[in-house]
């Protein structure tokens, strides 16, 4: 009889790189569709007879008070500053995995999305500042800097295998780079008055995490408790608390604890036991079975395990909740001609593609970067327009940068600019894939 296992293709070392990346793309693509539904629902409710109750719901105060310490925040604050920390944590995990284990290990390949991300931050912010000089809302330049990963990957998913895989890698890496850059801007550009004692405690907590990791502590609950304490310290320090997610994500180890050879040896010892129900009780075989279960778990790196565990929650729960809390815009009486709306639209629709394409071309021209296999400049042009979809991070920064009187106009600019950028990039891809199909 032929062993069923022998009829399957063998696993290669590359599978440890390509499969997590493919899983990340699938979740992002599906999450993009759910995020769009959440946006439409939020806008419908914000313009319905229940608008007042819907918008007031997100301002509900929630929290605890311990003597002089008051941790009461609005529901929107807990979503934007608390839940979004997990979003940035997962993005940082994916960035570190790609740099250490994935395609971005090649410095010249990593330089291309990094250069594109840099241009996609500098040029839009410069255009915004030029248009808003001396006007109220000038401080909102950060709203045009970031790219929405889920919506971009969702647009690419419409084309399946008709676009080069390297375009997905380029845009995903670029989006992660500039989201991390944007949250650094948020942390230091949109923070409050510094509380140095709280900041010192937060940095001490990061040192404790590093020490625990160095000494081999592998308990996920312990790290989550430490991460929560660090978040509270940063929240009280004046630096935006979501930076904790970025720092802890980049600190997460990529090295596995149980090697492949050791895992096979441990599993082989369990399989050597005779068949039968003999795994209960305080016995040696039960101990070996429990050890095998732990070995299987620890044969994946902490980066891979945490990303696998958290990414679905971020994509299918946290991001839609964020959209519901922040995308509610009152359309009635809206003025699309306000300067802040126009500046944001120009930054996203023109600034992002000009910056991404221009800096990418300079990086390749100077020899610092290379285009990936199958990635041509026309596809880079299409992708550069898609980077103008700034929805999630743009709304996130807008909530920090604008006063309530200007926030609605800023949100209109963000949604309009993101929609135009998505349409432009998608139409260019339609044209490119049609030409390729006829060739």
């Amino acid at each position: 009889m032929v062993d069923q296992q022998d009829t399957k293709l063998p696993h290669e070392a590359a599978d440890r790189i390509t499969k997590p990346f493919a899983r990340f793309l699938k979740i992002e693509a599906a999450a993009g569709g759910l995020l769009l539904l959440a946006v439409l629902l939020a806008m419908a409710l914000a313009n319905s007879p229940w608008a007042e109750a819907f918008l007031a719901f997100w301002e509900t105060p929630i929290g605890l008070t311990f003597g002089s310490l008051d941790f009461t925040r609005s529901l929107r604050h807990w979503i934007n500053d608390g839940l979004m920390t997990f979003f940035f944590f997962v993005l940082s995990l994916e960035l570190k995995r790609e740099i250490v284990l994935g395609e971005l290990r090649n410095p010249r390949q990593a330089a291309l999305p990094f250069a594109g991300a840099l241009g996609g931050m500098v040029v839009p912010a410069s255009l915004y500042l030029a248009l808003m000089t001396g006007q109220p809302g000038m401080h909102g330049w950060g709203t045009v800097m970031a790219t929405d990963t889920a919506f971009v990957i969702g647009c690419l998913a419409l084309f399946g295998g008709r676009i080069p895989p390297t375009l997905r890698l380029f845009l995903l890496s670029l989006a992660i780079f500039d989201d991390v850059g944007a949250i650094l801007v948020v942390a230091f550009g949109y923070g409050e008055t510094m509380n140095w004692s709280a900041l010192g405690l937060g940095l001490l907590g990061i040192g404790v995490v590093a020490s625990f990791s160095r000494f081999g502590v592998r308990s996920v609950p312990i790290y989550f408790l430490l991460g929560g304490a660090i978040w509270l310290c940063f929240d009280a320090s004046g630096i935006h608390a979501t930076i904790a997610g970025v720092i802890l994500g980049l600190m997460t180890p990529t090295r596995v604890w149980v090697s492949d050879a050791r895992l096979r040896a441990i599993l082989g010892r369990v399989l050597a036991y005779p068949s039968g129900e003999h795994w209960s009780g305080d016995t040696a075989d039960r101990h070996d079975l429990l050890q095998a279960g732990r070995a299987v778990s620890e044969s994946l790196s902490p980066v891979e395990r945490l990303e696998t565990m958290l990414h679905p929650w971020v994509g299918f729960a946290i991001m839609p909740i964020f959209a519901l809390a922040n995308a509610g815009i009152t359309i009635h009486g809206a003025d699309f001609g306000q300067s802040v709306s126009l500046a944001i639209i120009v930054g996203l629709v023109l600034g992002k593609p000009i910056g991404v394409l221009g800096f990418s071309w300079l990086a390749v021209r100077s020899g610092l970067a290379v285009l990936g296999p199958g990635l041509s400049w026309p596809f880079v042009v299409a992708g550069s327009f898609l980077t103008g979809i700034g929805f999630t991070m743009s709304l996130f920064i807008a909530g920090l940068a604008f006063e309530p009187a200007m926030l609605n106009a800023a949100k209109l600019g963000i949604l309009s600019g993101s929609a135009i950028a998505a349409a432009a990039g998608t139409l260019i891809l339609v044209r490119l894939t049609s030409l390729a199909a006829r060739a």
Side-chain angles (χ1 to χ4, degrees), residues 124-359:
S126 300
L127 280 176
Y128 180 93
L129 288 171
L131 293 171
M132 293 294 292
T133 300
Q135 300 185 56
M138 184 178 173
H139 191 52
W141 50 270
T143 55
V144 296
M145 293 179 62
T147 299
D148 190 284
T149 312
F151 274 136
V152 170
I153 298 304
C155 289
L156 296 180
L158 298 174
F159 299 90
R162 290 175 291 165
I163 59 175
T166 44
L167 177 62
R168 292 187 176 88
L169 176 63
F170 169 68
L171 289 179
L172 175 63
S173 304
L174 185 151
I176 294 174
F177 275 129
D178 73 6
D179 276 354
V180 171
I183 196 58
L184 292 175
V185 168
V186 167
F188 299 102
Y190 294 96
E192 301 171 356
T193 304
M194 290 294 295
N195 182 330
W196 293 103
S197 298
L199 179 60
L201 287 174
L203 295 175
L204 178 62
I206 290 173
V208 171
V209 169
S211 300
F212 276 26
S213 177
R214 186 174 182 81
F215 284 110
V217 176
R218 287 177 293 277
S219 172
V220 172
I222 288 178
Y223 286 113
F224 269 97
L225 288 174
L226 287 171
I230 292 169
W231 184 92
L232 288 173
C233 290
F234 279 7
D235 187 53
S237 72
I239 291 180
H240 205 270
T242 47
I243 193 66
V246 175
I247 295 172
L248 294 174
L250 294 176
M251 290 176 64
T252 305
T254 55
R255 185 175 59 86
V256 300
W257 184 47
V258 177
S259 66
D260 183 67
R262 186 180 293 271
L263 175 64
R264 291 175 182 274
I266 293 173
L267 293 177
R269 186 168 60 193
V270 172
L271 294 174
Y273 284 105
S275 59
E277 300 293 334
H278 51 81
W279 303 108
S280 60
D282 188 15
T283 60
D285 48 1
R286 180 174 181 272
H287 171 77
D288 288 341
L289 181 64
L290 293 174
Q291 187 180 47
R294 188 181 181 193
V296 169
S297 175
E298 295 285 358
S299 64
L300 292 174
S301 69
V303 160
E304 292 173 291
R305 281 189 289 140
L306 287 171
E307 189 179 336
T308 300
M309 177 175 64
L310 293 175
H311 193 199
W313 286 100
V314 169
F316 300 128
I318 291 175
M319 297 310 298
I321 291 172
F322 172 84
L324 285 173
N326 292 275
I329 303 172
T330 304
I331 301 297
H332 178 68
D335 181 8
F336 285 89
Q338 293 189 53
S339 57
V340 66
S341 300
L342 292 175
I344 290 174
I345 292 173
V346 169
L348 293 177
V349 178
L350 295 179
K352 290 292 284 187
I354 291 171
V356 169
L357 183 61
F359 276 55

